[in-house]
């Protein structure tokens, strides 16, 4: 399991953590769990997500209680740098939708002492590395791969199989559009 003790204390030098996995693997839940823990430690936190991800209303991440985590939709990675002033912990959700400039932005923030926690799809529906995720995983201090459960055989799944014929890399969808599959089932789909 994840080495929580390595991350539960603040690293003065900043750090980059990547939570990578397929659809339905619980990436965002893990991101929010870590952000909440930082919040309990009274650190200033904020989550940024690409504006393209319109599946969730803003209120889904920002539940309106005192423990809500501010979530800001942004157009590009430069906006993350501009808007994260004063944050001790910066969360990035659906990082695969960002431009490649996100890598430099995250390194810069970490160098400035910020704890950066990134959640994203490691592979697209074709099983190819998605957007800036491979580079982010390379520069990260910590990488956690989370997994879904294969819809066909019940073993551990890492592929997001698209159920429609749409060939575009970016197609937002939910349970009716994708199914998580293990390697064997993905290769015989
Ligand atoms: Zn399977």
């Amino acid at each position: 399991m994840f080495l929580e003790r390595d991350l539960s204390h603040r690293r003065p030098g900043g750090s980059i953590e990547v939570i990578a996995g397929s659809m339905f693997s619980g990436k965002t839940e893990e991101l929010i769990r870590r952000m909440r823990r930082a919040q309990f430690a009274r650190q200033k936190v904020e989550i940024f997500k690409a504006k393209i991800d319109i599946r969730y209303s803003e209120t889904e991440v920002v539940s309106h209680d005192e423990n809500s985590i501010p979530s800001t939709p942004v157009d590009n990675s430069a906006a993350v740098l501009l808007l994260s002033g004063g944050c001790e912990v910066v969360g990035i959700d659906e990082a695969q939708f960002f431009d490649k400039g996100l890598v430099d932005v995250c390194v810069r923030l970490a160098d400035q002492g910020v704890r950066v926690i990134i959640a994203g799809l490691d592979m697209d529906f074709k099983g190819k590395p998605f957007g800036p995720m491979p580079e982010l995983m390379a520069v990260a201090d910590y990488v956690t791969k989370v997994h879904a459960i294969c819809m066909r055989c019940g073993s551990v799944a890492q592929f997001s199989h698209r159920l429609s014929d749409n060939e575009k890399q970016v197609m937002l969808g939910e349970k009716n559009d994708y199914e998580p599959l293990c390697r064997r089932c993905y290769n015989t789909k």
Side-chain angles (χ1 to χ4, degrees):
M1 193 37 204
F2 186 64
L3 294 173
E4 180 77 45
R5 64 180 175 276
D6 287 346
L7 305 176
S8 55
H9 64 282
R10 181 140 181 258
R11 292 158 61 92
S15 59
I16 299 173
E17 298 160 35
V18 172
I19 304 158
S22 68
M23 296 189 69
F24 317 114
S25 62
K27 301 179 298 295
T28 300
E29 290 84 348
E30 176 61 16
L31 170 67
I32 290 173
R33 191 186 72 82
R34 294 186 196 180
M35 299 295 285
R36 286 220 182 283
R37 289 173 62 86
Q39 214 174 24
F40 291 143
R42 302 190 189 285
Q43 296 179 337
K44 186 169 184 290
V45 306
E46 180 137 359
I47 293 179
F48 296 94
K49 57 183 179 180
K51 256 188 191 150
I52 190 170
D53 185 29
I54 51 168
R55 279 173 301 169
Y56 308 103
S57 68
E58 272 183 70
T59 52
E60 190 135 354
V61 175
V62 185
S63 56
H64 290 290
D65 58 34
E66 62 210 70
N67 291 323
S68 68
I69 297 178
S71 169
T72 309
V74 291
D75 285 320
N76 52 49
S77 61
V80 174
L81 200 58
L82 278 174
L83 298 172
S84 58
C87 286
E88 295 168 279
V89 183
V90 167
I92 313 273
D93 199 13
E94 304 283 5
Q96 76 279 357
F97 291 145
F98 276 87
D99 54 281
K100 299 253 178 175
L102 186 64
V103 182
D104 284 338
V105 166
C106 291
V107 169
R108 232 170 112 175
L109 287 170
D111 287 349
Q112 290 169 4
V114 176
R115 179 182 174 194
V116 184
I117 311 175
I118 301 154
L121 282 170
D122 45 7
M123 293 184 280
D124 65 13
F125 74 103
K126 290 181 169 170
K128 299 286 182 247
F130 206 153
M133 285 298 286
E135 284 88 348
L136 289 166
M137 290 164 81
V139 299
D141 302 59
Y142 302 98
V143 177
T144 306
K145 278 233 186 188
V146 288
H147 299 89
I149 297 297
C150 179
M151 291 290 283
R152 302 198 183 172
C153 76
S155 52
V156 169
Q158 72 266 48
F159 294 97
S160 308
H161 175 227
R162 185 179 288 175
L163 296 167
S164 72
D165 291 333
N166 190 328
E167 285 291 304
K168 281 175 64 182
Q169 187 185 39
V170 176
M171 186 191 92
L172 300 178
E174 276 300 334
K175 286 210 158 50
N176 295 333
D177 303 305
Y178 293 93
E179 65 178 355
L181 295 180
C182 71
R183 185 181 299 276
R184 195 182 54 173
C185 293
Y186 183 81
N187 286 334
T188 56
K189 66 184 185 287

